[in-house]
C-alpha cells in the first residue's frame, strides 16, 4: 500500500473541529448542543453585503485577478486609512480567507527548518501552517495566572537563532483575547529591526477591542515598512466566515511579489465573495458599535458565570471573543468527548475546544479549554450551568 507523507502524518488535527463526529452522533440521538468550540458568530451579516450578491447582474462568474480585483483592494486601502494605516492597493493581496494569507506569508519568508517565534497559547492552525511549510515554531509561553500577559519582550530576544525568520502575533489574540499595548509593539518592532526579522500580525479581530483600550496595528507608525506583514479577514469583522475572503498586507514589495506567485498558483480568490466583501466595507460604524457592545456583555456574563464554579480559572479577555478556561480535570480532550457522548441536562450538552491544541509545547494546556462567547447571553448562562453540573459528576 502506498505510504502517506511524513508531513501529512505530522499534520495536527484541529482541536476546534476534531470532535465534530461526536457532536453529530449526539445530535442524532436528540441532544441539543451549545457550540462553544468555534468562533462562528450568531451576529447577522451586514445587509449591504448580502444585497450586493443578490443584486449582482453577472452573466458569467469569471476568474478575478490573482491578487484580487483592483476596485476591492482600493476600498480595503481606504478602510485601513480610517484606522491610521496608510497603504496602497498594490500593497494588498486578496486571499481565500486569512488562513491562505498566512500560508502565503509562511511560504514567502521562510524555508524548511526555519523558525518562527510565537507567543502561546496561539490560534491552533498556526501549528498546521508551520507543519505544512516545514517551519519550526519556537514558543514564548504565557500563563493563565497572569491573564496571559506576555512575559518581558526581552524574552523573545533570547529565543532568536540564525534560523529565526519571523515573530508571529495575533492581536487581539485567539484563543486568549490578549490585546497588545503600544509599548509592546514598539519593543517587538525594535527587536525585529535589530535582528532583521519579519513581524507578522494576525489582526482579524481588530474591531473587537474592549474596555476603552485601543488596538495598535503593526502597519501604523512603528517604522516597520520592510518588516511587517498583516493578515486580515472579513470572517469575524462582518460575520462572513463562509465567504472565505482575507488578505495579506505589506509595504515590502518583495514580500508582495513573492506572495503573488503563490496567489497565481491557486488562480484567484472567489469572485462572488469578493463582491460581498467589497460591499461590506460600506457597513456603517453603528453596526460595529452595536456588535462590540454585545460582545462585551457576553464576555462579562461568561466570566461572571465561570467564576462561580469551584476549581475553575479563567483569564479575562481584552479583545476578540474567546477565553481560555482551566478546569479541575486532568484531560480536557477526554472531558470534551464525555460531554458529547455521556452527559446531558434536560437533553442539552455543550461542545468545547480542548486547549492543548493551542500550544506547540507538549503536555501543556491539558486541563484547559477554549470557549468562544459567540452565543446570546441566556445561552451562555445555560451552557455554563451545564458545565458546572458536568464537573460535579465527571471522573477522570
Amino acid at each position: 500500500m502506498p505510504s502517506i507523507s511524513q508531513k501529512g502524518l505530522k499534520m495536527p488535527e484541529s482541536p476546534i473541529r476534531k470532535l465534530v463526529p461526536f457532536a453529530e452522533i449526539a445530535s442524532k440521538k436528540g441532544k441539543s448542543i451549545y457550540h462553544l468550540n468555534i468562533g462562528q458568530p450568531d451576529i447577522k451579516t451586514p445587509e449591504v453585503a448580502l444585497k450586493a450578491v443578490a443584486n449582482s447582474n453577472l452573466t458569467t462568474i469569471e476568474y478575478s485577478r490573482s491578487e484580487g480585483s483592483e476596485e476591492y483592494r482600493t476600498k480595503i486601502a481606504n478602510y485601513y486609512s480610517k484606522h491610521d494605516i496608510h497603504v496602497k492597493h498594490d500593497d494588498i493581496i486578496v486571499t481565500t480567507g486569512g488562513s491562505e494569507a498566512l500560508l502565503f506569508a509562511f511560504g514567502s519568508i521562510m524555508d524548511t527548518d526555519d523558525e518562527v517565534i510565537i507567543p502561546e497559547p496561539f490560534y491552533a492552525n498556526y501549528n498546521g501552517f508551520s507543519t505544512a511549510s516545514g517551519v519550526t515554531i519556537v514558543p514564548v509561553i504565557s500563563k493563565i495566572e497572569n491573564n496571559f500577559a506576555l512575559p518581558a519582550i526581552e524574552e523573545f530576544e533570547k529565543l532568536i537563532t540564525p534560523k529565526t525568520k519571523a515573530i508571529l502575533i495575533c492581536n487581539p489574540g485567539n484563543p486568549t483575547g490578549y490585546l497588545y499595548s503600544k509599548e509592546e509593539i514598539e519593543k517587538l518592532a525594535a527587536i525585529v529591526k535589530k535582528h532583521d526579522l519579519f513581524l507578522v500580525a494576525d489582526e482579524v479581530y481588530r474591531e473587537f477591542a474592549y474596555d476603552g483600550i485601543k488596538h495598535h496595528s503593526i502597519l501604523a507608525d512603528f517604522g516597520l515598512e520592510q518588516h511587517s506583514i498583516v493578515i486580515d479577514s472579513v470572517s469575524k469583522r462582518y460575520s462572513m466566515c463562509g465567504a472565505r475572503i482575507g488578505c495579506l498586507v505589506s509595504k515590502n514589495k518583495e514580500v508582495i511579489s513573492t506572495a503573488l506567485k503563490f496567489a497565481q498558483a491557486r488562480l484567484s480568490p472567489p469572485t462572488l465573495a469578493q463582491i460581498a466583501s467589497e460591499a461590506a466595507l460600506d457597513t456603517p460604524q453603528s453596526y460595529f458599535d452595536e456588535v462590540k457592545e454585545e460582545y462585551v456583555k457576553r464576555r462579562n456574563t461568561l466570566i461572571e458565570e465561570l467564576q462561580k464554579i469551584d476549581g475553575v480559572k479563567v483569564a479575562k479577555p481584552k479583545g476578540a471573543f474567546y477565553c481560555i478556561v482551566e478546569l479541575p480535570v486532568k484531560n480536557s480532550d477526554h472531558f470534551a468527548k464525555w460531554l458529547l457522548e455521556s452527559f446531558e441536562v434536560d437533553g442539552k450538552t455543550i461542545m468545547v475546544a480542548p486547549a492543548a491544541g493551542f500550544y506547540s509545547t507538549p503536555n501543556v494546556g491539558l486541563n484547559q479549554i477554549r470557549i468562544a462567547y459567540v452565543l446570546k447571553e441566556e445561552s451562555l448562562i445555560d451552557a455554563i450551568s451545564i458545565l458546572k453540573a458536568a464537573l460535579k459528576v465527571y471522573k477522570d
Side-chain angles (χ1 to χ4, degrees):
M1 178 178 173
S3 61
I4 298 299
S5 69
Q6 288 302 305
K7 184 185 292 184
L9 293 172
K10 291 177 182 177
M11 193 73 172
E13 288 184 295
S14 167
I16 304 163
R17 298 175 183 271
K18 69 179 182 179
L19 297 176
V20 167
F22 297 92
E24 290 175 344
I25 292 170
S27 294
K28 288 176 181 177
K29 290 180 178 178
K31 285 186 187 179
S32 177
I33 302 172
Y34 286 118
H35 287 272
L36 305 174
N37 62 304
I38 193 166
Q40 172 57 65
D42 65 355
I43 304 294
K44 288 185 177 180
T45 301
E47 194 172 338
V48 64
L50 299 174
K51 284 184 175 180
V53 175
N55 297 335
S56 170
N57 58 2
L58 292 178
T59 57
T60 303
I61 301 176
E62 300 177 345
Y63 290 123
S64 76
R65 290 174 60 171
S66 293
E67 58 266 71
S69 75
E70 184 170 336
E71 293 81 7
Y72 179 36
R73 287 181 292 126
T74 299
K75 285 190 71 172
I76 296 173
N78 291 337
Y79 155 81
Y80 284 130
S81 69
K82 296 174 184 176
H83 293 268
D84 297 320
I85 300 168
H86 302 291
V87 294
K88 299 176 181 178
H89 73 275
D90 55 3
D91 297 323
I92 301 168
I93 293 177
V94 179
T95 58
T96 308
S99 295
E100 187 178 70
L102 270 162
L103 283 168
F104 287 178
F106 274 38
S108 297
I109 66 175
M110 288 183 278
D111 291 309
T112 301
D113 295 329
D114 280 341
E115 296 174 350
V116 56
I117 297 172
I118 313 178
E120 69 172 7
F122 49 70
Y123 175 46
N125 280 341
Y126 294 167
N127 276 322
F129 300 146
S130 64
T131 300
S133 303
V135 171
T136 301
I137 291 176
V138 178
V140 175
I141 299 173
S142 59
K143 296 183 179 295
I144 196 168
E145 289 79 9
N146 299 323
N147 213 42
F148 291 110
L150 287 183
I153 296 296
E154 291 72 20
E155 294 298 312
F156 285 76
E157 195 160 20
K158 295 177 183 177
L159 299 173
I160 294 171
T161 74
K163 290 187 175 183
T164 307
K165 294 300 292 291
I167 295 173
L168 168 60
I169 62 173
C170 186
N171 186 32
N174 172 9
T176 64
Y178 189 78
L179 189 62
Y180 287 70
S181 68
K182 184 178 181 181
E183 291 72 25
E184 285 173 324
I185 299 292
E186 286 173 343
K187 288 182 178 180
L188 286 171
I191 289 173
V192 298
K193 284 188 282 187
K194 176 182 176 181
H195 295 277
D196 202 22
L197 307 175
F198 287 101
L199 180 58
V200 183
D202 183 342
E203 297 185 358
V204 304
Y205 299 98
R206 180 182 300 109
E207 264 77 11
F208 308 121
Y210 310 136
D211 305 327
I213 305 173
K214 183 181 178 181
H215 174 265
H216 299 280
S217 172
I218 65 168
L219 288 172
D221 190 21
F222 291 105
L224 291 173
E225 288 78 11
Q226 299 308 308
H227 298 266
S228 58
I229 301 172
V230 158
I231 307 302
D232 213 338
S233 170
V234 306
S235 292
K236 310 306 163 77
R237 181 170 300 132
Y238 305 108
S239 198
M240 289 172 59
C241 297
R244 306 313 306 135
I245 291 290
C247 63
L248 181 152
V249 190
S250 181
K251 293 184 180 181
N252 184 313
K253 297 304 181 187
E254 284 192 67
V255 167
I256 292 296
S257 63
T258 305
L260 181 55
K261 297 176 188 177
F262 289 91
Q264 290 170 338
R266 63 84 167 100
L267 305 183
S268 72
T271 300
L272 282 175
Q274 283 186 82
I275 291 172
S277 300
E278 181 178 339
L281 287 165
D282 294 325
T283 302
Q285 182 59 40
S286 58
Y287 172 88
F288 299 108
D289 293 340
E290 291 172 9
V291 170
K292 191 166 153 181
E293 183 180 349
E294 177 65 23
Y295 279 132
V296 168
K297 287 192 292 185
R298 293 179 183 187
R299 178 200 65 176
N300 293 346
T301 296
L302 175 67
I303 299 299
E304 183 179 325
E305 294 302 311
L306 286 168
Q307 288 175 338
K308 294 177 182 177
I309 305 176
D310 289 340
V312 166
K313 293 180 183 177
V314 59
K316 187 174 183 180
K318 299 177 183 177
F321 38 69
Y322 307 98
C323 68
I324 290 287
V325 184
E326 191 166 286
L327 304 176
V329 302
K330 294 178 181 177
N331 189 308
S332 64
D333 198 282
H334 181 273
F335 177 65
K337 290 178 185 176
W338 175 83
L339 284 168
L340 295 169
E341 289 184 315
S342 306
F343 187 78
E344 61 182 81
V345 175
D346 298 327
K348 296 177 288 187
T349 191
I350 60 174
M351 187 174 181
V352 297
F358 295 89
Y359 293 83
S360 62
T361 304
N363 301 317
V364 176
L366 293 176
N367 63 340
Q368 297 175 352
I369 60 173
R370 186 195 73 168
I371 288 179
Y373 47 95
V374 291
L375 304 179
K376 291 180 173 59
E377 283 184 90
E378 55 268 29
S379 296
L380 288 172
I381 292 171
D382 196 24
I384 301 309
S385 72
I386 293 170
L387 174 64
K388 183 177 182 178
L391 288 171
K392 286 181 179 179
V393 299
Y394 175 73
K395 303 294 182 185
D396 282 304

PDB file of all heavy atoms in Angstrom, residues 237-265:
ATOM      1  N   ARG A 237     -15.122  40.128  11.323  1.00  0.00           N
ATOM      2  CA  ARG A 237     -15.464  41.555  11.302  1.00  0.00           C
ATOM      3  C   ARG A 237     -16.903  41.768  10.842  1.00  0.00           C
ATOM      4  O   ARG A 237     -17.644  42.578  11.400  1.00  0.00           O
ATOM      5  CB  ARG A 237     -14.500  42.294  10.377  1.00  0.00           C
ATOM      6  CG  ARG A 237     -14.735  43.803  10.289  1.00  0.00           C
ATOM      7  CD  ARG A 237     -13.587  44.464   9.560  1.00  0.00           C
ATOM      8  NE  ARG A 237     -12.350  44.211  10.278  1.00  0.00           N
ATOM      9  CZ  ARG A 237     -11.221  43.780   9.698  1.00  0.00           C
ATOM     10  NH1 ARG A 237     -11.181  43.565   8.397  1.00  0.00           N
ATOM     11  NH2 ARG A 237     -10.156  43.568  10.430  1.00  0.00           N
ATOM     12  N   TYR A 238     -17.299  41.044   9.796  1.00  0.00           N
ATOM     13  CA  TYR A 238     -18.637  41.228   9.224  1.00  0.00           C
ATOM     14  C   TYR A 238     -19.508  39.986   9.398  1.00  0.00           C
ATOM     15  O   TYR A 238     -20.539  39.869   8.748  1.00  0.00           O
ATOM     16  CB  TYR A 238     -18.527  41.553   7.729  1.00  0.00           C
ATOM     17  CG  TYR A 238     -17.654  42.744   7.423  1.00  0.00           C
ATOM     18  CD1 TYR A 238     -16.404  42.578   6.838  1.00  0.00           C
ATOM     19  CD2 TYR A 238     -18.068  44.044   7.727  1.00  0.00           C
ATOM     20  CE1 TYR A 238     -15.595  43.670   6.555  1.00  0.00           C
ATOM     21  CE2 TYR A 238     -17.267  45.132   7.456  1.00  0.00           C
ATOM     22  CZ  TYR A 238     -16.029  44.945   6.871  1.00  0.00           C
ATOM     23  OH  TYR A 238     -15.225  46.022   6.597  1.00  0.00           O
ATOM     24  N   SER A 239     -19.082  39.052  10.244  1.00  0.00           N
ATOM     25  CA  SER A 239     -19.798  37.792  10.420  1.00  0.00           C
ATOM     26  C   SER A 239     -20.021  37.123   9.061  1.00  0.00           C
ATOM     27  O   SER A 239     -21.125  36.754   8.681  1.00  0.00           O
ATOM     28  CB  SER A 239     -21.141  38.027  11.127  1.00  0.00           C
ATOM     29  OG  SER A 239     -21.645  36.820  11.666  1.00  0.00           O
ATOM     30  N   MET A 240     -18.904  36.971   8.322  1.00  0.00           N
ATOM     31  CA  MET A 240     -18.934  36.402   6.973  1.00  0.00           C
ATOM     32  C   MET A 240     -17.923  35.258   6.860  1.00  0.00           C
ATOM     33  O   MET A 240     -17.153  35.173   5.906  1.00  0.00           O
ATOM     34  CB  MET A 240     -18.620  37.498   5.939  1.00  0.00           C
ATOM     35  CG  MET A 240     -19.725  38.528   5.768  1.00  0.00           C
ATOM     36  SD  MET A 240     -19.252  39.937   4.715  1.00  0.00           S
ATOM     37  CE  MET A 240     -18.848  39.121   3.170  1.00  0.00           C
ATOM     38  N   CYS A 241     -17.948  34.343   7.846  1.00  0.00           N
ATOM     39  CA  CYS A 241     -16.958  33.264   7.874  1.00  0.00           C
ATOM     40  C   CYS A 241     -16.976  32.430   6.594  1.00  0.00           C
ATOM     41  O   CYS A 241     -15.928  31.996   6.105  1.00  0.00           O
ATOM     42  CB  CYS A 241     -17.192  32.363   9.082  1.00  0.00           C
ATOM     43  SG  CYS A 241     -16.998  33.206  10.666  1.00  0.00           S
ATOM     44  N   GLY A 242     -18.166  32.189   6.059  1.00  0.00           N
ATOM     45  CA  GLY A 242     -18.285  31.344   4.881  1.00  0.00           C
ATOM     46  C   GLY A 242     -17.884  32.009   3.580  1.00  0.00           C
ATOM     47  O   GLY A 242     -17.764  31.327   2.548  1.00  0.00           O
ATOM     48  N   ALA A 243     -17.654  33.304   3.597  1.00  0.00           N
ATOM     49  CA  ALA A 243     -17.215  33.989   2.365  1.00  0.00           C
ATOM     50  C   ALA A 243     -15.804  33.570   1.982  1.00  0.00           C
ATOM     51  O   ALA A 243     -15.450  33.538   0.805  1.00  0.00           O
ATOM     52  CB  ALA A 243     -17.271  35.508   2.553  1.00  0.00           C
ATOM     53  N   ARG A 244     -14.991  33.243   2.973  1.00  0.00           N
ATOM     54  CA  ARG A 244     -13.599  32.834   2.779  1.00  0.00           C
ATOM     55  C   ARG A 244     -12.816  33.894   2.011  1.00  0.00           C
ATOM     56  O   ARG A 244     -12.179  33.615   0.983  1.00  0.00           O
ATOM     57  CB  ARG A 244     -13.499  31.465   2.071  1.00  0.00           C
ATOM     58  CG  ARG A 244     -14.259  30.324   2.706  1.00  0.00           C
ATOM     59  CD  ARG A 244     -14.078  30.201   4.211  1.00  0.00           C
ATOM     60  NE  ARG A 244     -12.676  30.118   4.605  1.00  0.00           N
ATOM     61  CZ  ARG A 244     -12.157  30.816   5.622  1.00  0.00           C
ATOM     62  NH1 ARG A 244     -12.898  31.659   6.337  1.00  0.00           N
ATOM     63  NH2 ARG A 244     -10.890  30.685   5.912  1.00  0.00           N
ATOM     64  N   ILE A 245     -12.862  35.113   2.524  1.00  0.00           N
ATOM     65  CA  ILE A 245     -12.082  36.201   1.946  1.00  0.00           C
ATOM     66  C   ILE A 245     -11.215  36.820   3.036  1.00  0.00           C
ATOM     67  O   ILE A 245     -11.695  37.207   4.105  1.00  0.00           O
ATOM     68  CB  ILE A 245     -12.984  37.293   1.326  1.00  0.00           C
ATOM     69  CG1 ILE A 245     -13.678  36.762   0.079  1.00  0.00           C
ATOM     70  CG2 ILE A 245     -12.165  38.542   0.983  1.00  0.00           C
ATOM     71  CD1 ILE A 245     -12.769  36.519  -1.114  1.00  0.00           C
ATOM     72  N   GLY A 246      -9.921  36.892   2.760  1.00  0.00           N
ATOM     73  CA  GLY A 246      -8.979  37.562   3.645  1.00  0.00           C
ATOM     74  C   GLY A 246      -8.015  38.360   2.801  1.00  0.00           C
ATOM     75  O   GLY A 246      -8.245  38.582   1.609  1.00  0.00           O
ATOM     76  N   CYS A 247      -6.923  38.808   3.408  1.00  0.00           N
ATOM     77  CA  CYS A 247      -5.899  39.487   2.624  1.00  0.00           C
ATOM     78  C   CYS A 247      -4.566  39.488   3.364  1.00  0.00           C
ATOM     79  O   CYS A 247      -4.509  39.331   4.593  1.00  0.00           O
ATOM     80  CB  CYS A 247      -6.304  40.920   2.269  1.00  0.00           C
ATOM     81  SG  CYS A 247      -6.536  42.042   3.655  1.00  0.00           S
ATOM     82  N   LEU A 248      -3.522  39.625   2.599  1.00  0.00           N
ATOM     83  CA  LEU A 248      -2.159  39.800   3.095  1.00  0.00           C
ATOM     84  C   LEU A 248      -1.754  41.219   2.733  1.00  0.00           C
ATOM     85  O   LEU A 248      -1.946  41.649   1.591  1.00  0.00           O
ATOM     86  CB  LEU A 248      -1.236  38.774   2.449  1.00  0.00           C
ATOM     87  CG  LEU A 248       0.246  38.762   2.854  1.00  0.00           C
ATOM     88  CD1 LEU A 248       0.811  37.357   2.693  1.00  0.00           C
ATOM     89  CD2 LEU A 248       1.070  39.728   1.990  1.00  0.00           C
ATOM     90  N   VAL A 249      -1.195  41.940   3.704  1.00  0.00           N
ATOM     91  CA  VAL A 249      -0.859  43.345   3.504  1.00  0.00           C
ATOM     92  C   VAL A 249       0.580  43.605   3.925  1.00  0.00           C
ATOM     93  O   VAL A 249       0.977  43.240   5.040  1.00  0.00           O
ATOM     94  CB  VAL A 249      -1.796  44.278   4.316  1.00  0.00           C
ATOM     95  CG1 VAL A 249      -1.596  45.733   3.905  1.00  0.00           C
ATOM     96  CG2 VAL A 249      -3.255  43.869   4.154  1.00  0.00           C
ATOM     97  N   SER A 250       1.366  44.203   3.043  1.00  0.00           N
ATOM     98  CA  SER A 250       2.746  44.556   3.379  1.00  0.00           C
ATOM     99  C   SER A 250       3.244  45.642   2.440  1.00  0.00           C
ATOM    100  O   SER A 250       2.906  45.652   1.247  1.00  0.00           O
ATOM    101  CB  SER A 250       3.662  43.333   3.277  1.00  0.00           C
ATOM    102  OG  SER A 250       4.995  43.676   3.622  1.00  0.00           O
ATOM    103  N   LYS A 251       4.044  46.552   2.989  1.00  0.00           N
ATOM    104  CA  LYS A 251       4.690  47.570   2.158  1.00  0.00           C
ATOM    105  C   LYS A 251       6.003  47.062   1.574  1.00  0.00           C
ATOM    106  O   LYS A 251       6.625  47.754   0.765  1.00  0.00           O
ATOM    107  CB  LYS A 251       4.936  48.831   2.990  1.00  0.00           C
ATOM    108  CG  LYS A 251       3.651  49.542   3.419  1.00  0.00           C
ATOM    109  CD  LYS A 251       3.959  50.829   4.166  1.00  0.00           C
ATOM    110  CE  LYS A 251       2.689  51.540   4.583  1.00  0.00           C
ATOM    111  NZ  LYS A 251       2.966  52.806   5.297  1.00  0.00           N
ATOM    112  N   ASN A 252       6.396  45.865   1.979  1.00  0.00           N
ATOM    113  CA  ASN A 252       7.610  45.251   1.442  1.00  0.00           C
ATOM    114  C   ASN A 252       7.287  44.666   0.076  1.00  0.00           C
ATOM    115  O   ASN A 252       6.558  43.677  -0.043  1.00  0.00           O
ATOM    116  CB  ASN A 252       8.102  44.158   2.399  1.00  0.00           C
ATOM    117  CG  ASN A 252       9.408  43.532   1.965  1.00  0.00           C
ATOM    118  OD1 ASN A 252       9.587  43.173   0.813  1.00  0.00           O
ATOM    119  ND2 ASN A 252      10.331  43.379   2.913  1.00  0.00           N
ATOM    120  N   LYS A 253       7.811  45.268  -0.979  1.00  0.00           N
ATOM    121  CA  LYS A 253       7.462  44.879  -2.345  1.00  0.00           C
ATOM    122  C   LYS A 253       7.909  43.460  -2.675  1.00  0.00           C
ATOM    123  O   LYS A 253       7.255  42.765  -3.463  1.00  0.00           O
ATOM    124  CB  LYS A 253       8.062  45.877  -3.349  1.00  0.00           C
ATOM    125  CG  LYS A 253       7.517  47.292  -3.201  1.00  0.00           C
ATOM    126  CD  LYS A 253       5.997  47.316  -3.323  1.00  0.00           C
ATOM    127  CE  LYS A 253       5.451  48.740  -3.189  1.00  0.00           C
ATOM    128  NZ  LYS A 253       3.953  48.742  -3.141  1.00  0.00           N
ATOM    129  N   GLU A 254       9.035  43.022  -2.094  1.00  0.00           N
ATOM    130  CA  GLU A 254       9.489  41.655  -2.354  1.00  0.00           C
ATOM    131  C   GLU A 254       8.532  40.640  -1.748  1.00  0.00           C
ATOM    132  O   GLU A 254       8.288  39.575  -2.332  1.00  0.00           O
ATOM    133  CB  GLU A 254      10.900  41.460  -1.807  1.00  0.00           C
ATOM    134  CG  GLU A 254      11.996  42.092  -2.644  1.00  0.00           C
ATOM    135  CD  GLU A 254      13.364  41.608  -2.199  1.00  0.00           C
ATOM    136  OE1 GLU A 254      13.659  40.409  -2.371  1.00  0.00           O
ATOM    137  OE2 GLU A 254      14.132  42.435  -1.665  1.00  0.00           O
ATOM    138  N   VAL A 255       8.011  40.950  -0.567  1.00  0.00           N
ATOM    139  CA  VAL A 255       7.026  40.060   0.049  1.00  0.00           C
ATOM    140  C   VAL A 255       5.797  39.948  -0.840  1.00  0.00           C
ATOM    141  O   VAL A 255       5.300  38.846  -1.119  1.00  0.00           O
ATOM    142  CB  VAL A 255       6.632  40.563   1.457  1.00  0.00           C
ATOM    143  CG1 VAL A 255       5.390  39.824   1.973  1.00  0.00           C
ATOM    144  CG2 VAL A 255       7.785  40.388   2.437  1.00  0.00           C
ATOM    145  N   ILE A 256       5.296  41.096  -1.303  1.00  0.00           N
ATOM    146  CA  ILE A 256       4.095  41.093  -2.137  1.00  0.00           C
ATOM    147  C   ILE A 256       4.330  40.359  -3.451  1.00  0.00           C
ATOM    148  O   ILE A 256       3.505  39.531  -3.881  1.00  0.00           O
ATOM    149  CB  ILE A 256       3.604  42.532  -2.394  1.00  0.00           C
ATOM    150  CG1 ILE A 256       3.090  43.156  -1.091  1.00  0.00           C
ATOM    151  CG2 ILE A 256       2.513  42.568  -3.461  1.00  0.00           C
ATOM    152  CD1 ILE A 256       1.872  42.479  -0.496  1.00  0.00           C
ATOM    153  N   SER A 257       5.446  40.619  -4.108  1.00  0.00           N
ATOM    154  CA  SER A 257       5.705  39.973  -5.401  1.00  0.00           C
ATOM    155  C   SER A 257       5.887  38.464  -5.239  1.00  0.00           C
ATOM    156  O   SER A 257       5.493  37.672  -6.112  1.00  0.00           O
ATOM    157  CB  SER A 257       6.928  40.593  -6.083  1.00  0.00           C
ATOM    158  OG  SER A 257       8.107  40.391  -5.318  1.00  0.00           O
ATOM    159  N   THR A 258       6.474  38.046  -4.103  1.00  0.00           N
ATOM    160  CA  THR A 258       6.648  36.616  -3.850  1.00  0.00           C
ATOM    161  C   THR A 258       5.309  35.962  -3.505  1.00  0.00           C
ATOM    162  O   THR A 258       4.972  34.893  -4.028  1.00  0.00           O
ATOM    163  CB  THR A 258       7.650  36.377  -2.710  1.00  0.00           C
ATOM    164  OG1 THR A 258       8.883  37.034  -3.032  1.00  0.00           O
ATOM    165  CG2 THR A 258       7.908  34.892  -2.511  1.00  0.00           C
ATOM    166  N   ALA A 259       4.534  36.607  -2.637  1.00  0.00           N
ATOM    167  CA  ALA A 259       3.217  36.064  -2.277  1.00  0.00           C
ATOM    168  C   ALA A 259       2.311  35.972  -3.497  1.00  0.00           C
ATOM    169  O   ALA A 259       1.475  35.061  -3.597  1.00  0.00           O
ATOM    170  CB  ALA A 259       2.574  36.924  -1.191  1.00  0.00           C
ATOM    171  N   LEU A 260       2.486  36.884  -4.439  1.00  0.00           N
ATOM    172  CA  LEU A 260       1.672  36.860  -5.653  1.00  0.00           C
ATOM    173  C   LEU A 260       1.914  35.583  -6.466  1.00  0.00           C
ATOM    174  O   LEU A 260       1.004  35.069  -7.123  1.00  0.00           O
ATOM    175  CB  LEU A 260       1.954  38.096  -6.507  1.00  0.00           C
ATOM    176  CG  LEU A 260       1.150  38.220  -7.811  1.00  0.00           C
ATOM    177  CD1 LEU A 260      -0.356  38.150  -7.531  1.00  0.00           C
ATOM    178  CD2 LEU A 260       1.512  39.511  -8.535  1.00  0.00           C
ATOM    179  N   LYS A 261       3.137  35.035  -6.391  1.00  0.00           N
ATOM    180  CA  LYS A 261       3.408  33.770  -7.088  1.00  0.00           C
ATOM    181  C   LYS A 261       2.542  32.649  -6.516  1.00  0.00           C
ATOM    182  O   LYS A 261       2.004  31.819  -7.257  1.00  0.00           O
ATOM    183  CB  LYS A 261       4.888  33.404  -6.960  1.00  0.00           C
ATOM    184  CG  LYS A 261       5.852  34.382  -7.603  1.00  0.00           C
ATOM    185  CD  LYS A 261       7.299  33.958  -7.315  1.00  0.00           C
ATOM    186  CE  LYS A 261       8.298  34.994  -7.774  1.00  0.00           C
ATOM    187  NZ  LYS A 261       9.684  34.611  -7.421  1.00  0.00           N
ATOM    188  N   PHE A 262       2.416  32.637  -5.181  1.00  0.00           N
ATOM    189  CA  PHE A 262       1.547  31.646  -4.554  1.00  0.00           C
ATOM    190  C   PHE A 262       0.091  31.901  -4.940  1.00  0.00           C
ATOM    191  O   PHE A 262      -0.670  30.961  -5.181  1.00  0.00           O
ATOM    192  CB  PHE A 262       1.693  31.700  -3.030  1.00  0.00           C
ATOM    193  CG  PHE A 262       3.009  31.184  -2.523  1.00  0.00           C
ATOM    194  CD1 PHE A 262       4.095  32.035  -2.355  1.00  0.00           C
ATOM    195  CD2 PHE A 262       3.173  29.844  -2.207  1.00  0.00           C
ATOM    196  CE1 PHE A 262       5.309  31.557  -1.877  1.00  0.00           C
ATOM    197  CE2 PHE A 262       4.388  29.357  -1.734  1.00  0.00           C
ATOM    198  CZ  PHE A 262       5.461  30.219  -1.574  1.00  0.00           C
ATOM    199  N   ALA A 263      -0.289  33.172  -5.013  1.00  0.00           N
ATOM    200  CA  ALA A 263      -1.666  33.525  -5.386  1.00  0.00           C
ATOM    201  C   ALA A 263      -1.978  33.106  -6.814  1.00  0.00           C
ATOM    202  O   ALA A 263      -3.078  32.638  -7.113  1.00  0.00           O
ATOM    203  CB  ALA A 263      -1.879  35.031  -5.203  1.00  0.00           C
ATOM    204  N   GLN A 264      -1.004  33.278  -7.701  1.00  0.00           N
ATOM    205  CA  GLN A 264      -1.213  32.867  -9.092  1.00  0.00           C
ATOM    206  C   GLN A 264      -1.343  31.356  -9.204  1.00  0.00           C
ATOM    207  O   GLN A 264      -2.094  30.845 -10.039  1.00  0.00           O
ATOM    208  CB  GLN A 264      -0.056  33.369  -9.954  1.00  0.00           C
ATOM    209  CG  GLN A 264      -0.061  34.883 -10.145  1.00  0.00           C
ATOM    210  CD  GLN A 264       1.215  35.398 -10.792  1.00  0.00           C
ATOM    211  OE1 GLN A 264       2.258  34.744 -10.742  1.00  0.00           O
ATOM    212  NE2 GLN A 264       1.145  36.587 -11.395  1.00  0.00           N
ATOM    213  N   ALA A 265      -0.624  30.624  -8.343  1.00  0.00           N
ATOM    214  CA  ALA A 265      -0.667  29.165  -8.392  1.00  0.00           C
ATOM    215  C   ALA A 265      -2.054  28.627  -8.027  1.00  0.00           C
ATOM    216  O   ALA A 265      -2.434  27.552  -8.487  1.00  0.00           O
ATOM    217  CB  ALA A 265       0.384  28.577  -7.457  1.00  0.00           C
TER     218      ALA A 265
END
